[in-house]
Amino acid sequence: MKKRAKFSSKLGIVLASAGSAVGLGNVWRFPTEVGEGGGAAFILVYAFCVLLLGLPLMVAEFIIGRHTHKNTADAYRQLAPRSGWIVQGYLGVFTSWFILCYYSVVAGWTMKYLVEAATGGLGSISDSSAYFSAFSGATWEPLVYMVIVMLLCHFVIIHGVQAGIERSSKLMMPLLLMIIAILVVFSFSMPGSSEGLTFLLKPDFSKLTSAVVLSAMGQAFFSLSIAMGCLCTYASYFTDDVRLPKTAFSVAIIDSIVAIMSGLIMFPAVFSVEAVTPDAGPGLVFITLPNVFHIAFGSVPVLGWFFSVMFYLLLLLAALTSMVSIHEPPTVFLIEHFKLSRPVATAIVTIACIVVGSLCCLSFGPLADCRPLFGLTFFDFFDFVSAKLFLPIGGILISLFVGWRLDRDIIVEQLTNGGTVRLPAFIISVFLFLLRWMIPLAVGGIFIKELGIL
Ligand code: PFF
């Protein structure tokens, strides 16, 4: 039998996992949510969500993946044969594919903006809002960019675990971290930037409503790539000497640092330009910021050019490393379950994503009024189903599975690397308590409230 692939080094493992976590969610969603959710007050709630909900779930997924060394669906089949838990395995495979379909659309937008920034086109836009609507609402251009980023992702995945995922992460992640550090320094050097910093970091506890707590939790899950099959899949390539809790902690730290640094880039830059008020979500990145670059560096255009190229390159790198991690779960499922070769499996996933992703892409233009499912556009439907339904359901199921169903010996063996690493018994008890009670209750409660069931 052919030997299953593994990552070749601990650094590769941390960088690939952090590459999955660090994505569009960090660079555009986090700063907006901080701004709207009470600044440092939101960051505090977010930190609790990462520590008490995100980290244990990440470790739980790592345990399942590394113990079985299988794709997500077959991992659950092995651990709980002939039981309903297998549904959770398939959910992981499906969710990642669902996310890839609409994530690639936004990744395509970042590539378009990078190209425009590099060729100087962004500097000559007079109305960035109209520009964004015209571009995202067009038929061919956003489609072409989406296909290009999908093909880049395809190119990485087709080369497999070490030569594809690991090598590209080792290249892209250090570059991404370097760019973000340069941009923070740059942003702070802009006049009036301290106001933006105050906007971002001043704690306003009056804004902490249950909806804000909910979005902090959703953001923590999405940002850490939890419950989407990809952490479990990556962990199935981990070597036996890797310490799972330590790896999860490193990933969470890198992810949170990048999120906070993104806020430190955006708001000081935005506030240094008086005429601009920050938009939310995509508007911040694709409408407000081009304006900022334009106005702030009007007198020194080369700096505006540099800042915008670096920024959209950062966004594209972040998107690509995450896309790679959501392409892999369905691909390795097809390889192992249906005995397909990697090139064939990769091609099937890529083509399926391009076909469905096209519907999401055209949701902003020709298909804007086509709302066959729950009155949502295709893009919103895929976003809603994966991030608002599958993600919390997956989170609850994973915590219940590892907390109640999985053999405790397997958990201890994985956490201690077969007894070679000392781990105080109370840490295992706290871990199990969080998985058995705290996470299902917290996530379940918030989920029910959000869907308006109660
Ligand atoms: N964590 C990524 C982000 O913050 O953008 C998005 C993501 C990647 C979600 C991988 C889900 C996933 F499986």
Side-chain angles (χ1 to χ4, degrees):
M1 220 174 91
K2 225 177 123 206
K3 246 183 105 205
R4 200 168 188 276
K6 278 193 168 133
F7 287 119
S8 70
S9 65
K10 287 184 186 163
L11 180 69
I13 286 174
V14 172
L15 290 181
S17 311
S20 170
V22 172
L24 296 170
N26 302 59
V27 186
W28 104 33
R29 234 170 91 164
F30 182 82
T32 318
E33 297 208 353
V34 173
E36 290 172 354
F42 179 91
I43 296 182
L44 209 66
V45 176
Y46 179 81
F48 270 108
C49 291
V50 168
L51 214 63
L52 297 180
L53 310 178
L55 262 180
L57 275 173
M58 194 187 283
V59 175
E61 288 201 58
F62 281 173
I63 289 175
I64 296 170
R66 193 179 58 179
H67 174 74
T68 58
H69 291 301
K70 287 203 162 65
N71 66 81
T72 313
D74 290 334
Y76 281 85
R77 193 186 302 280
Q78 175 186 321
L79 292 170
R82 288 178 298 282
S83 76
W85 288 108
I86 290 168
V87 173
Q88 166 56 22
Y90 283 102
L91 197 65
V93 174
F94 254 110
T95 312
S96 41
W97 180 75
F98 254 62
I99 294 180
L100 188 57
C101 289
Y102 72 88
Y103 203 84
S104 55
V105 175
V106 186
W109 296 348
T110 68
M111 177 168 242
K112 152 81 178 172
Y113 272 66
L114 174 61
V115 170
E116 286 298 325
T119 54
L122 221 53
S124 56
I125 298 171
S126 52
D127 181 346
S128 58
S129 177
Y131 180 83
F132 176 65
S133 306
F135 161 67
S136 60
T139 304
W140 290 108
E141 209 184 0
L143 267 183
V144 169
Y145 278 106
M146 185 203 79
V147 172
I148 295 174
V149 285
M150 270 310 300
L151 292 179
L152 286 178
C153 178
H154 179 95
F155 179 76
V156 172
I157 292 292
I158 207 168
H159 283 91
V161 177
Q162 283 190 16
I165 301 172
E166 184 171 354
R167 198 196 284 173
S168 66
S169 306
K170 280 182 172 167
L171 194 84
M172 290 197 273
M173 284 308 285
L175 188 61
L176 182 150
L177 295 173
M178 207 175 73
I179 293 177
I180 208 161
I182 295 174
L183 287 179
V184 171
V185 174
F186 221 64
S187 184
F188 271 90
S189 66
M190 292 166 81
S193 59
S194 58
E195 248 182 84
L197 200 61
T198 314
F199 177 76
L200 185 71
L201 296 180
K202 203 175 101 205
D204 180 355
F205 288 96
S206 68
K207 288 211 177 135
L208 279 188
T209 57
S210 63
V212 169
V213 174
L214 171 78
S215 54
M217 189 193 81
Q219 172 64 16
F221 277 27
F222 187 81
S223 190
L224 294 175
S225 308
I226 278 163
M228 326 230 183
C230 75
L231 294 176
C232 184
T233 303
Y234 272 12
S236 72
Y237 306 131
F238 285 7
T239 44
D240 292 334
D241 58 342
V242 164
R243 292 164 70 168
L244 301 184
K246 197 174 152 194
T247 306
F249 197 70
S250 312
V251 172
I253 291 281
I254 296 176
D255 189 60
S256 304
I257 288 178
V258 171
I260 290 177
M261 284 173 93
S262 301
L264 293 181
I265 292 170
M266 266 184 237
F267 287 103
V270 170
F271 276 78
S272 69
V273 175
E274 266 176 56
V276 178
T277 27
D279 275 295
L284 179 65
V285 167
F286 296 109
I287 298 173
T288 311
L289 281 177
N291 252 332
V292 170
F293 301 142
H294 196 51
I295 302 173
F297 297 108
S299 52
V300 203
V302 71
L303 281 185
W305 177 85
F306 178 76
F307 197 105
S308 52
V309 170
M310 284 293 146
F311 180 78
Y312 289 108
L313 180 60
L314 164 74
L315 216 55
L316 182 64
L317 288 173
L320 269 177
T321 49
S322 293
M323 279 177 70
V324 164
S325 79
I326 10 185
H327 197 301
E328 180 64 10
T331 304
V332 69
F333 169 70
L334 292 179
I335 294 173
E336 294 179 351
H337 204 80
F338 296 104
K339 308 280 174 280
L340 300 180
S341 68
R342 182 165 275 274
V344 171
T346 311
I348 292 176
V349 176
T350 303
I351 292 170
C353 271
I354 290 179
V355 172
V356 179
S358 301
L359 297 177
C360 296
C361 191
L362 298 174
S363 296
F364 295 87
L367 296 184
D369 295 324
C370 180
R371 296 158 186 257
L373 305 157
F374 303 110
L376 298 170
T377 63
F378 284 108
F379 184 96
D380 290 342
F381 173 76
F382 275 76
D383 181 21
F384 175 80
V385 170
S386 46
K388 297 268 163 45
L389 290 183
F390 289 177
L391 192 142
I393 292 174
I396 295 171
L397 289 178
I398 291 167
S399 59
L400 291 177
F401 181 76
V402 176
W404 294 102
R405 167 77 199 240
L406 194 62
D407 193 344
R408 193 188 163 105
D409 289 347
I410 294 180
I411 298 175
V412 174
E413 185 199 285
Q414 285 301 322
L415 290 180
T416 61
N417 289 359
T420 57
V421 176
R422 271 178 50 83
L423 199 68
F426 85 91
I427 296 221
I428 296 179
S429 306
V430 171
F431 176 62
L432 283 177
F433 170 78
L434 292 172
L435 290 178
R436 287 179 173 176
W437 299 105
M438 169 104 181
I439 296 174
L441 288 175
V443 181
I446 293 176
F447 179 56
I448 287 173
K449 189 163 188 317
E450 197 197 4
L451 286 189
I453 298 170
L454 283 182

